Amino acid sequence: MTFRETLHQRLARRRELGLYREVKTLAAAPGPRAQVDGGELVAFSSNDYLGLATHPQVIAAQQRGAGLGAGATASHLVNGHLQIHEQLQDKIAELTGREAALVFSSGYMANIGAVCALVGRGDTVIQDKLNHASLIDGAQLSGARSLRFAHSDMESLERQLSRADGNILVAVDGVYSMDGDCAPLADIARLCGAHGAWLMVDEAHGFGVMGSEGFPCAGSAAAAGLAPEQVPILMGTLGKAAGNAGAFVAGSRELIDYLTQFARPYIYTTGMPPAVAAGCLAALEIMQREPQRREHLAHLVGYFRDRAGALDLPLTDSRSAIQPLIIGGEKAVMALAAGLQQRGFLVGAIRPPTVPAGTARLRITLSAAHSEAEIDALLQALVESLADSVVVAE
Ligand SMILES: *Cc1c(COP(=O)(O)O)cnc(C)c1O
């Protein structure tokens, strides 16, 4: 077979399976209204949990930041590290209650960079089966032995801990990206303590939206009452609640010094554009001084669950801004998403391999930028779309 035929055949197979993915082109970032194919949709699909992606002050700060230069022009260790990056790292350290932080260009790179720098041949990485792909990929690339435990199952984690050798890194998502449930971090930290394992928590969906009284933006580990020593490696992204792009690892000064030396995706890539750093810094400042955004979001989560529960929709036990409805089949979920789009709503349809086979779902995400009325309208559209798809199935 020629190169072309090979690709063609694989793509055709992907279509047959209902797994073919298409890029949707939007006219602007949803905030939360989105322009798609000339029509206006209310987006319940972004990770912009606090509505900061389209905040005028953030955009203005990012525009001013572009005055520092369109690009960083080199890696951070050469000449791509500016004062604005330093200020952003300091703000992240302050918000997470850590000594220091290091910015990466993306969360995918931060996870790969941290895991590969911390463990290698002879060591063990243990992670939850539902961890984000970047952690799974990082473990494979590290050369360490890679073990997984059943989702949030502490007996399964303990079994893997007792099989591990070398330095042991336990890595989990604090909030699972496709399910919205929180990891049982207090139990995980206790087991890590008992086995001398290092705990790394990915706060992609916790940073900015949950935390403790003292550190209300720090994420799910702070919300679970864990001290910095219990979670020595805290990873978070700037593309979710911060509404921008990039990511960080926060921890002790020594960890940050170590990653600066050994995290290859930090060392061998061009620095974060200064404008992005400026926009992120502005977003974090708003996050810090406007707790009402988090409060409104928490209120909407409760509101959505009450109303959806009353309609007998298949809710999960998520308490976060991620509220999936598990549909099952790939084609059924695509039909539902299309029905919602016809009715003016943009909702993510998530299929394998992103989620396990048979658990295709609508991934509804809530934002502080939504209103109760928009949630009511979404639920109405969902009920209608479900009724349509039942008719089609018959
Ligand atoms: C989005 C996400 C990442 C990747 O972050 P990017 O900055 O988008 O590359 C990593 N971990 C989790 C849990 C995520 O949801």
Side-chain angles (χ1 to χ4, degrees), residues 47 105-109 111 131-132 134-135 173 175-178 202-205 235 237-240 245-247 363:
N47 300 311
S105 298
S106 76
Y108 193 96
M109 290 167 74
N111 276 339
N131 268 3
H132 191 262
S134 51
L135 283 169
D173 288 11
V175 177
Y176 288 89
S177 53
M178 297 300 141
D202 175 337
E203 295 279 16
H205 302 281
M235 176 273 183
T237 75
L238 299 166
K240 309 259 157 86
R363 179 176 181 269

Side-chain angles (χ1 to χ4, degrees), residues 50-131:
L50 299 176
L52 295 174
T54 51
H55 194 293
Q57 283 171 25
V58 173
I59 292 171
Q62 199 144 336
Q63 284 166 337
R64 282 195 304 277
L68 298 168
T73 79
S75 67
H76 283 279
L77 284 171
V78 177
N79 67 23
H81 193 72
L82 283 70
Q83 203 70 51
I84 192 73
H85 296 117
E86 205 53 31
Q87 288 167 3
L88 175 60
Q89 291 182 163
D90 288 349
K91 180 56 75 182
I92 292 166
E94 181 191 335
L95 290 182
T96 54
R98 298 311 201 257
E99 286 175 9
L102 192 69
V103 294
F104 287 78
S105 298
S106 76
Y108 193 96
M109 290 167 74
N111 276 339
I112 291 198
V115 172
C116 292
L118 291 166
V119 288
R121 221 174 294 275
D123 298 326
T124 309
V125 187
I126 305 179
Q127 47 185 326
D128 190 286
K129 281 225 159 99
L130 295 188
N131 268 3

Side-chain angles (χ1 to χ4, degrees), residues 27 37 51 94 134 136 264 329 360 379:
D37 302 336
E94 181 191 335
S134 51
I136 309 279
R264 294 167 64 88
L379 290 173

